[in-house]
Amino acid sequence: MPAKATLGNDAWEDGRVAAVVAVVLAAGAASRFGGGKLLASLEGRPILQHVLDRLAEAGVGEVVVVLGDDAGEIERAIDWRAESRVVNPDPGRGLSSSVRLGIEALPPTTDAALIVLGDQPLVPLEAIRAVVSAPADAARPIVVPVYRGDAGRNPVRLERAAFALAAEASGDRGLGPLIAAHPELVREVRLVGEAANPDVDTRAELVALLESAWAERVRANVAQVDRHREVPDGPDFYAPVTSLFRADPTRIDEPALASLLALVEPGDTWLDIGAGAGRYALPIARALAPSAGEVIALDPSGGMLAGLREIASEYGIDNARIVEARWPPDDLGPFSADVALIAHVGYDIEAIGPFIEAMESIARRLCVAVLMERQPSSIADACWPPVHGESRVALPALPELVELLRARGRDPSIERLEREPRRFDSRDELEGFLRRQLWTQPGSPADGRFRAALDDLIETDSDGRVGLVGQRPLPVGIVTWAPRARDKRVPA
């Protein structure tokens, strides 16, 4: 017996609860995508998984999934619930053949089929619920959503009276021609809050969704700060804490630095985007000095770059060209380099696509990113609930960058390392760092909650250094990939 829909206005004219079963069409060859579309990763889950998860969240408990030639691969990759699966033996006949096969697989007690495309991972919950919950109308047995942007008509509800009509569909446009040919049989459900329900037909469309999701997380993170901030950002956010980012350019105890130095080739020019106080720019410059190579150290913080200049002068490093600017600049010409590097930069970049595109465009040999599984400031996340009453919105980090690069057609290599948790010389230094991540004003009620919470969160190690209880080594990835000009497999 199929699960009953429990979505708002679910009583039909005879008083019964409607038995609505979803049919998910997942048999296409994805030729425009280059194959494997439904298992492509979007925010850590396959595209098809997103669709199935949204159906479950919307309360649709009975689902039939129509698979195609890659059924075996999909079977192994999806986290199935109770969905039943049928295989289209000839998906080359088009989408309409999968519609017919899905309807044939419905339980006999089914009142209506909700036809859902497997390549629409953002199918809105509002659309699913509105279409499923629309009252029955025997005269108009086809129900479609109308989005605010008037784009698309999916998912589609077919009441049993329309099953025979759907069986007449042919070709690869599914129910589109049927809906267009029989407007008198169609009811429209207008959605207020949803603009569209985009397909993922090409890699470019997947990239657009990933970049949009990245930007949305950055905006949500900023909006959360704006709700709670008590201290405005100064003209140079990092100037007051430059000392925390200073590092000895001759050090030999940092695995990430060792990995970067192993990538250096004689005579290289490296562009370090977001060089800060020179944590990596200066050791790399030292390694390049004997071969007349150089580092271009770019950063928007004058305070950070002042620290870089001081350290460079102290150690006699004169092959680091310092540029105070944001990335990407209007003119990329002066920044041509063999290697483009970002180290703990990009987490809060809203327009990540143009940022990476510019990085690739100036790199002749290699692009490199050093990123953590979570942004470095996540050390303060434990303080957010007791201070602000909510969890911190996480910024995109290493997993999201790797996913985006793969969607862009790159083939990144990832070396995974661990970085020891940050420790501070005193409680006052730790408080100052955390307070900047909480945006609290000393002496305010929020700051009082912060100081009280810190009593239970703070610990001192055997060396007398101060940190937070339960901190563990932090996963770090060294990501390397060939820029587009070198990657002949990927079209420009």
Side-chain angles (χ1 to χ4, degrees), residues 30-159:
S31 56
R32 292 175 60 194
F33 192 87
K37 173 175 68 174
L38 297 185
L39 295 184
S41 182
L42 174 65
E43 296 188 281
R45 290 177 290 156
I47 285 174
L48 179 58
Q49 187 74 63
H50 279 268
V51 175
L52 299 178
D53 291 350
R54 283 179 178 253
L55 286 171
E57 187 176 354
V60 179
E62 184 87 354
V63 180
V64 175
V65 183
V66 183
L67 302 175
D69 293 337
D70 55 355
E73 188 177 358
I74 289 178
E75 283 280 1
R76 293 186 293 272
I78 294 299
D79 183 11
W80 300 103
R81 296 177 179 84
E83 299 93 344
S84 62
R85 280 87 77 188
V86 295
V87 177
N88 187 336
D90 187 9
R93 293 177 298 166
L95 192 65
S96 58
S97 67
S98 292
V99 173
R100 291 195 299 273
L101 188 63
I103 289 176
E104 291 169 3
L106 294 174
T109 52
T110 302
D111 291 309
L114 181 72
I115 309 300
V116 183
L117 300 183
D119 63 357
Q120 293 186 329
L122 303 185
V123 54
L125 297 179
E126 179 189 345
I128 297 171
R129 290 168 175 156
V131 170
V132 168
S133 299
D137 183 345
R140 293 183 298 165
I142 302 172
V143 183
V144 300
V146 177
Y147 294 91
R148 184 161 43 86
D150 198 31
R153 291 292 188 272
N154 289 295
V156 178
R157 189 180 92 192
L158 298 179
E159 294 167 18

Side-chain angles (χ1 to χ4, degrees), residues 240-414:
V241 291
T242 298
S243 61
L244 296 177
F245 296 89
R246 296 172 69 100
D248 182 350
T250 67
R251 67 191 185 280
I252 58 173
D253 60 350
E254 184 181 345
L257 175 57
S259 295
L260 292 178
L261 292 176
L263 300 173
V264 170
E265 294 185 1
D268 267 350
T269 295
W270 280 54
L271 171 65
D272 186 351
I273 301 167
R279 182 178 187 88
Y280 297 121
L282 293 178
I284 292 170
R286 287 185 73 247
L288 285 170
S291 64
E294 72 164 350
V295 171
I296 305 169
L298 180 146
D299 199 278
S301 169
M304 282 288 208
L305 293 179
L308 188 153
R309 288 188 181 92
E310 291 174 8
I311 299 169
S313 176
E314 180 181 349
Y315 287 88
I317 300 171
D318 59 7
N319 62 329
R321 176 159 42 110
I322 298 173
V323 180
E324 184 175 340
R326 292 191 176 276
W327 187 262
D330 293 334
D331 181 8
L332 293 171
F335 300 98
S336 179
D338 298 289
V339 180
L341 165 68
I342 55 172
H344 303 301
V345 170
Y347 306 103
D348 59 352
I349 300 299
E350 182 175 339
I352 191 64
F355 187 97
I356 296 296
E357 185 72 24
M359 182 180 173
E360 291 184 338
S361 71
I362 58 88
R364 292 185 287 269
R365 177 166 66 85
L366 193 65
C367 292
V368 185
V370 182
L371 290 179
M372 295 167 62
E373 290 280 348
R374 288 177 62 90
Q375 74 273 17
S377 62
S378 64
I379 181 178
D381 287 359
C383 299
W384 271 77
V387 175
H388 294 308
E390 60 183 346
S391 297
R392 185 70 167 111
V393 173
L395 288 168
L398 174 65
E400 290 78 17
L401 176 70
V402 171
E403 186 176 62
L404 177 60
L405 291 174
R406 287 175 175 158
R408 285 168 59 87
R410 307 300 180 257
D411 186 19
S413 297
I414 305 106

Side-chain angles (χ1 to χ4, degrees), residues 422-482:
R422 175 174 282 180
R423 297 287 176 170
F424 298 82
D425 290 332
S426 66
R427 174 174 173 137
D428 285 346
E429 188 178 69
L430 172 61
E431 279 189 13
F433 175 83
L434 294 175
R435 189 175 281 115
R436 288 181 61 78
Q437 304 302 327
L438 294 165
W439 281 267
T440 58
Q441 177 70 42
S444 72
D447 195 61
R449 294 193 296 272
F450 161 56
R451 292 174 62 85
L454 196 58
D455 289 337
D456 295 327
L457 295 174
I458 200 169
E459 67 177 4
T460 303
D461 64 22
S462 58
D463 296 325
R465 307 222 350 125
V466 179
L468 296 181
V469 174
Q471 282 184 280
R472 296 181 176 86
L474 304 170
V476 178
I478 312 292
V479 185
T480 56
W481 71 99

